[in-house]
């Protein structure tokens, strides 16, 4: 019997990754950096322990997008794969790149101070945080 693992990858298939389960937590981030880097209204990050995550095909393009954050994209199709906050013990994977995400449950909305008005009321039963996740 193998170790339970999550797998995923980008739109074109050049970037593939694998991480042992369980993931640590998941979070909806409404910050402007996630919005700009993804083109989406917000990003849902699935946070895996750093040591359990690895790429299994080619390596992504990694860019420093702010003082404490690096983001990885596929250099061919542009899909954002992860957000890496330097003080975090996790690698935060974009939920849309997972092969199977039906079992993922988000625990928080963060950076709601920057949330788009059209998302008012989205997952409003979750804790709302103006800034960073309390779980990093
Ligand atoms: Zn790709
Ligand atoms: Zn963000």
């Amino acid at each position: 019997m193998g170790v339970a693992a999550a797998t995923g990858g980008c739109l074109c298939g050049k970037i593939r990754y694998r991480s042992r389960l369980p993931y640590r937590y998941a979070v909806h981030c409404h910050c402007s950096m996630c919005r700009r880097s993804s083109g989406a209204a917000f990003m849902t990050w699935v946070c895996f322990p750093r040591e359990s995550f690895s790429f299994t095909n080619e390596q992504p393009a990694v860019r420093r997008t702010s003082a404490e954050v690096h983001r990885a994209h596929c250099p061919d199709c542009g899909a954002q794969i992860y957000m890496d906050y330097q003080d975090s013990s996790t690698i935060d994977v974009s939920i849309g790149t997972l092969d199977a995400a039906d079992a993922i449950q988000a625990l928080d909305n963060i950076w709601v101070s920057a949330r788009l008005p059209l998302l008012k009321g989205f997952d409003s039963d979750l804790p709302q945080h103006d800034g960073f996740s309390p779980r990093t």
Side-chain angles (χ1 to χ4, degrees):
M1 205 170 90
V3 176
T7 57
C10 66
L11 179 61
C12 76
K14 179 174 188 154
I15 308 300
R16 294 289 302 166
Y17 61 80
R18 183 179 194 281
S19 187
R20 283 193 307 278
L21 289 168
Y23 68 99
R24 199 163 285 163
Y25 62 97
V27 61
H28 303 308
C29 185
H30 299 277
C31 84
S32 62
M33 300 296 287
C34 285
R35 203 152 58 226
R36 287 281 184 182
S37 64
S38 66
F42 68 98
M43 284 295 276
T44 302
W45 298 113
V46 183
C47 307
F48 292 95
R50 188 176 291 276
E51 65 276 9
S52 70
F53 179 88
S54 61
F55 289 104
T56 54
N57 196 24
E58 299 194 33
Q59 295 295 312
V62 179
R63 292 183 183 82
R64 186 177 189 171
T65 55
S66 62
E68 298 165 316
V69 172
H70 287 79
R71 293 174 192 264
H73 295 78
C74 173
D76 284 3
C77 72
Q80 185 170 186
I81 307 295
Y82 72 61
M83 192 266 302
D84 179 6
Y85 177 65
Q86 69 176 18
D87 290 338
S88 170
S89 60
T90 60
I91 290 288
D92 303 346
V93 171
S94 50
I95 193 170
T97 63
L98 283 167
D99 293 335
D102 289 357
I104 305 294
Q105 298 284 328
L107 296 181
D108 297 285
N109 281 287
I110 63 170
W111 293 103
V112 294
S113 52
R115 180 172 52 193
L116 290 179
L118 67 80
L119 291 168
K120 186 171 170 55
F122 171 79
D123 255 0
S124 57
D125 53 330
L126 300 180
Q128 314 284 309
H129 305 282
D130 280 342
F132 288 109
S133 168
R135 301 177 204 276
T136 53

